[in-house]
Amino acid sequence: MKTANGNTSVMDMFEKGKVLKICAPMVRYSKLAFRSLVRKYNCDICFTPMIVAADFLRSIKARDSEFTTNERDRPLIVQFAAHDAQSLADAACAVAPFSDGVDLNCGCPQRWAMSAGYGACLINKPELVKDMVRHVRNQVDNPNYTASIKIRIHKDLKQTVDLCQKAESAGVSWITVHGRTTEERHQPVHYDAIKTIKDSVSVPVIANGDIKYLRDVESTHELTGVDGVMAARGLLANPAMFAGYEDTPLQCIWDWVDIAVEQGTPFTCFHHHLIYMLERVSSQPERKVFNSLSSTSAVIDYLQNTYGSVHDLRT
C-alpha cells in the first residue's frame, strides 16, 4: 500500500469485518528498527513514540533524534504531545511529507505530562481537542493525511462520549481508546466502555489495553465491535504476536539482530528489546546471564550458543 503520496489513505485500510493490527506508541521502544521488525509479522500500522511537539519544532537536534523513518516504514502515524492547536498543526505539517498521519496523545497518565498540560489531562478539555484536530485538518495540505486521537476513559463515560463526538465533529479520522481511566494501571480493561464509545461515533475506533496474543485481537473485536486493536507490551514480549506466534520465534529474534545491526541501533535499546523477547522463553538463570551482557558481539555469541543460529532453522 502506497501512502504519504496524496493518492491513497490509511483510511482505505478500514474495511468492514477486518480488524487492523497496530503497534502502539511506546517511549524509547517503537522506533524505526522495532517498527521494521513488527511489520515483518503482520502489523498493519505503526506509531512512533510520543514526541513533544514544541520541542520538536524548536530544535533540529530533537527532530533528528526523535523522528527517523525510511520508505518502507509505512503506513506510519506520528504521535505528538501538545497543548495548543498551532503547535500540533505546525508539527503535523513538518512530518506530513514523511508519514501518513498524526495522532494527538490524550492518554499518557504520567505526572510530568499531565502537569505540563499534555496527555490524559486533555480528555477534560474537549473543546481544545476539537480545536487541535481541526487545525491539523485545515493546515496539512493533503486530504488523505489522517488526524487521530488516543484517549483514556472517564469514570463518567458520558464525558468520554462527549469528547469523542466533539472530536468527530472536528474531522477526527479515528479514535484509539485505552480502556482504563487515568488512575488505573493494571486493572482489567473496560471493554463495555470501549463498546459504548464505538456505538456512539461513526469514525473507526481502535481498542488498546491487554492485547498479549493473537486470540486477544479476536476476543476484543467480538466484545467491542472495534475496527482495530493496538498492542504495546504484548508486542514487546513477542513482536511476532500478530502473526499468531504464542512466544517470540527464533527467526524473529535473528530478524531483530539483523535489523538492529543494519540500522545502528544503540546497544542499550538493542539489548532491552531482546530482554523482553526472551522473557517468556528463557529460564531465570539464563535471563540473569543474558541481562548482564554488555556488547552486541557478546549478545550474538550468547544467542548462537543458547538457541542456535538462523541457519539451523533452514536445515
Side-chain angles (χ1 to χ4, degrees), residues 106-124:
C106 305
C108 179
Q110 292 184 25
R111 198 173 288 122
W112 74 267
M114 292 181 66
S115 64
Y118 302 134
C121 72
L122 290 175
I123 65 173
N124 297 315

Side-chain angles (χ1 to χ4, degrees), residues 62-73:
R63 289 197 286 281
D64 289 345
S65 69
E66 294 286 345
F67 181 66
T68 51
T69 184
N70 61 33
E71 69 264 7
R72 297 183 304 281
D73 187 29

